[in-house]
Amino acid sequence: RTSTSGPIPCPVKDVEGFAKSWLEVCCRGEGNQDQPQVERESWDEQRLRALCERHGWDFEWMTEDGERRRRANERLTEWRLEESMVSLLQDEAAPEVTPDGAAHSE
């Protein structure tokens, strides 16, 4: 056993910074002190409508009619896109393009 004569050096260089960090860690360790919000487990209409309202979504039950309408709108959009592409491809003002990508000049 050895005895020391004199002060013992502190192993931490920045004691104030260490104390501040320690306090922050301890406060986070205590967790969230707010009251918990408990929601029902089932997704009933009221809860679904509240979720949609919170995020700005439109609410609609997944019924056969709704699904049929959604698919019809998808097909209509695809057809309109195809029609617009056809009109672009058939545009006479567009220059002819050779297979190598260079514009064809007459």
Side-chain angles (χ1 to χ4, degrees):
R1 187 171 181 175
T2 54
S3 63
T4 58
S5 59
I8 299 174
C10 181
V12 178
K13 302 283 186 225
D14 180 16
V15 175
E16 298 237 352
F18 175 77
K20 184 177 178 182
S21 296
W22 180 79
L23 184 60
E24 288 174 6
V25 169
C26 288
C27 288
R28 275 189 269 140
E30 292 175 4
N32 187 350
Q33 300 300 315
D34 295 338
Q35 290 295 321
Q37 292 182 347
V38 180
E39 296 182 5
R40 294 182 297 274
E41 286 189 31
S42 65
W43 286 93
D44 60 356
E45 183 176 351
Q46 179 184 4
R47 188 170 175 199
L48 288 171
R49 286 187 185 276
L51 180 68
C52 290
E53 186 176 324
R54 182 181 313 146
H55 294 286
W57 301 333
D58 292 331
F59 175 81
E60 182 177 329
W61 282 111
M62 191 63 150
T63 60
E64 254 186 67
D65 291 338
E67 180 66 7
R68 188 177 300 117
R69 193 175 329 113
R70 184 188 67 78
R71 288 184 182 187
N73 284 335
E74 277 182 4
R75 278 180 289 204
L76 183 60
T77 302
E78 288 172 6
W79 291 335
R80 286 182 181 156
L81 180 61
E82 287 173 8
E83 288 173 359
S84 67
M85 294 301 294
V86 167
S87 66
L88 284 175
L89 293 173
Q90 293 176 348
D91 188 5
E92 292 180 27
E96 292 183 31
V97 178
T98 58
D100 67 354
H104 180 69
S105 59
E106 294 182 29

